[in-house]
Amino acid sequence: MMTQKEPVVRLLADLVAIPSMNPMGQNVPPDRYSESGVASYLREYLKRRGIDAESYEVSPGRPNVVAFIDVKASETLLLEAHMDTVHAEGMAIDPFDPVVKDGRLYGRGSCDTKGSIAAFIGSVTELLRRGSKFKYNVLLLFVADEEYRFMGAQAAVRGGLRADFGIVGEPTSLAIVRAHKGVTRWRIRTEGVAAHSAFPERGRNAVYIMGEVIRRLETYAEELARSKSDPDLGQPTISIGVIQGGSAVNVVPDSCWIEIDRRTLPGEQIEEILGAAAAKLGDLPHVRMDPPYLSVQGMSVAEDDAVVRMLSNALARGGTNAVNTVAPYATDAGIYNAEGIKTVVFGPGDIAQAHTAAEFIELDQVKKAVDVLKCLMAA
Ligand SMILES: [Zn+2]
């Protein structure tokens, strides 16, 4: 039971209590594995505070929520965080009964990233309630499907999202993350001909063909490790993470597939990424590449860029030391930067807590984030 008085803590607890697990492509009950419950809660919450919020589906039952606070400023700040969480199986705590203990709020999504959603809304509503003047128009955007395929952010961009700069809320412990790699994932398949294993010469073994694919990709991985490196992010990489093929030991396999994880540097284009991999396999017959099922760009915002400076100043004024850094993981910020919206990643909570069996967030971090964001937005 919640006894905390601060509105931002109550908001966070309410958000954690509404399951919004990402279905990750599985056939699971949509009441718990969808962002729609959180989306309707947020729409209502904002409406009661005089903020008109709308939602639209990025795929059936998977909405984004958007609200524009128009103060007739010349510039617009995007505040974006994702509503989906990873699944809650095997958690050591009750995932959807938010408990506050020793200054921490426990529950699935508390840190990744309902804490950021609460901090964004908490700072905006507090400024509005006090009648403070805003420096920028604010575009609040809460998206679906960050944990799996980045569909929400991609849909927002396709829908014509406009902003001058932005913050993507992720648990950075209030550090400013100004660069991270991107990631593209896809499958490569080989096609064989099935036969009885006593007569392998009558078939074509898809696993043998895949063997050659794997050797070439291993050589390609070594080339990438020696290729041009980014001063902040190092080299691009390629890795084979999954292999599957064959149906029984006495049947020559007619199919085999592998799954590729390619970590990219900012500026690498998807056509180049796939083209380079295809070129390594070009002359091999019976090999086919699926289109990527996930692709998000890397991003790099200069240390002296306006958005980094503004947020650093706000941190200093909010009494928190500004640290700027790079992250090993990909976020929605790659998608907005690719559209020319200078976007950094910043939010309360420690990434070490994300996706864990006893996920929590330090409430002090959430309150500090609110202070920093108020300093950033108030004129
Ligand atoms: Zn996240």
Side-chain angles (χ1 to χ4, degrees):
M1 283 301 292
M2 295 299 308
T3 52
Q4 303 293 319
K5 290 280 187 298
E6 300 92 330
V8 71
V9 177
R10 277 206 308 268
L11 169 59
L12 174 55
D14 285 353
L15 291 173
V16 169
I18 307 168
S20 57
M21 295 179 284
N22 195 310
M24 312 286 284
Q26 305 293 307
N27 193 7
V28 283
D31 55 330
R32 293 159 71 81
Y33 289 86
S34 148
E35 298 82 356
S36 57
V38 166
S40 25
Y41 175 91
L42 287 174
R43 270 198 325 271
E44 270 306 302
Y45 186 96
L46 291 166
K47 200 170 160 194
R48 282 202 306 276
R49 284 155 187 84
I51 302 170
D52 240 339
E54 284 171 29
S55 64
Y56 57 91
E57 292 196 331
V58 303
S59 75
R62 311 286 305 276
N64 278 356
V65 175
V66 62
F68 185 55
I69 295 125
D70 187 358
V71 298
K72 311 288 175 215
S74 60
E75 290 181 307
T76 296
L77 166 67
L78 166 71
L79 296 179
E80 189 261 40
H82 63 87
M83 297 183 287
D84 58 317
T85 73
V86 292
H87 72 77
E89 271 158 52
M91 281 187 80
I93 54 170
D94 185 334
F96 308 118
D97 180 18
V99 169
V100 175
K101 209 179 146 202
D102 304 329
R104 297 167 166 180
L105 187 145
Y106 287 82
R108 176 54 86 225
S110 53
C111 161
D112 187 9
T113 56
K114 292 177 176 178
S116 289
I117 298 178
F120 288 164
I121 293 181
S123 56
V124 168
T125 53
E126 217 173 300
L127 289 178
L128 286 173
R129 192 169 47 81
R130 286 208 227 130
S132 308
K133 244 179 103 60
F134 281 70
K135 244 187 277 184
Y136 322 104
N137 308 314
V138 179
L139 185 63
L140 288 172
L141 174 62
F142 305 117
V143 297
D145 190 47
E146 191 272 347
E147 296 288 359
Y148 186 47
R149 292 175 67 178
F150 300 90
M151 278 192 316
Q154 279 160 351
V157 160
R158 274 200 309 276
L161 172 87
R162 298 279 292 274
D164 296 281
F165 46 88
I167 298 175
V168 162
E170 288 283 354
T172 68
S173 303
L174 304 181
I176 303 168
V177 171
R178 56 173 189 81
H180 63 62
K181 284 183 187 173
V183 58
T184 298
R185 292 185 180 143
W186 75 96
R187 285 183 180 182
I188 298 175
R189 299 174 189 277
T190 53
E191 286 154 354
V193 175
H196 193 293
S197 61
F199 311 100
E201 70 284 359
R202 294 180 188 170
R204 187 173 68 232
N205 193 316
V207 169
Y208 289 164
I209 305 172
M210 190 59 86
E212 179 59 21
V213 170
I214 291 170
R215 269 188 296 280
R216 292 189 185 193
L217 290 180
E218 195 176 357
T219 307
Y220 181 38
E222 289 158 9
E223 284 169 27
L224 282 178
R226 292 189 303 265
S227 68
K228 71 166 169 76
S229 86
D230 179 282
D232 292 320
L233 299 169
Q235 271 85 10
T237 60
I238 190 167
S239 171
I240 302 171
V242 184
I243 181 164
Q244 198 164 302
S247 55
V249 71
N250 59 350
V251 179
V252 172
D254 64 353
S255 70
C256 182
W257 56 262
I258 56 174
E259 216 158 85
I260 309 291
D261 177 290
R262 170 77 155 78
R263 301 288 162 149
T264 61
L265 294 181
E268 282 195 271
Q269 300 299 318
I270 185 132
E271 299 77 22
E272 293 170 29
I273 297 161
L274 298 176
K280 302 291 172 192
L281 312 174
D283 56 323
L284 282 177
H286 315 299
V287 176
R288 194 157 55 78
M289 276 186 14
D290 283 1
Y293 65 86
L294 178 153
S295 189
V296 59
Q297 301 91 330
M299 66 99 172
S300 176
V301 175
E303 233 164 317
D304 59 354
D305 191 273
V307 64
V308 177
R309 281 206 321 267
M310 282 158 31
L311 191 51
S312 300
N313 290 338
L315 275 156
R317 277 181 284 140
T320 304
N321 250 351
V323 174
N324 83 59
T325 181
V326 303
Y329 49 83
T331 75
D332 284 345
I335 295 163
Y336 305 123
N337 276 295
E339 290 300 304
I341 304 169
K342 288 287 165 91
T343 303
V344 292
V345 187
F346 166 85
D350 190 332
I351 192 70
Q353 288 306 318
H355 306 193
T356 60
E359 180 175 350
F360 69 81
I361 191 165
E362 302 276 356
L363 289 173
D364 191 46
Q365 287 252 316
V366 179
K367 292 169 200 168
K368 274 191 185 152
V370 170
D371 290 342
V372 170
L373 292 163
K374 283 193 303 189
C375 287
L376 176 71
M377 290 183 286

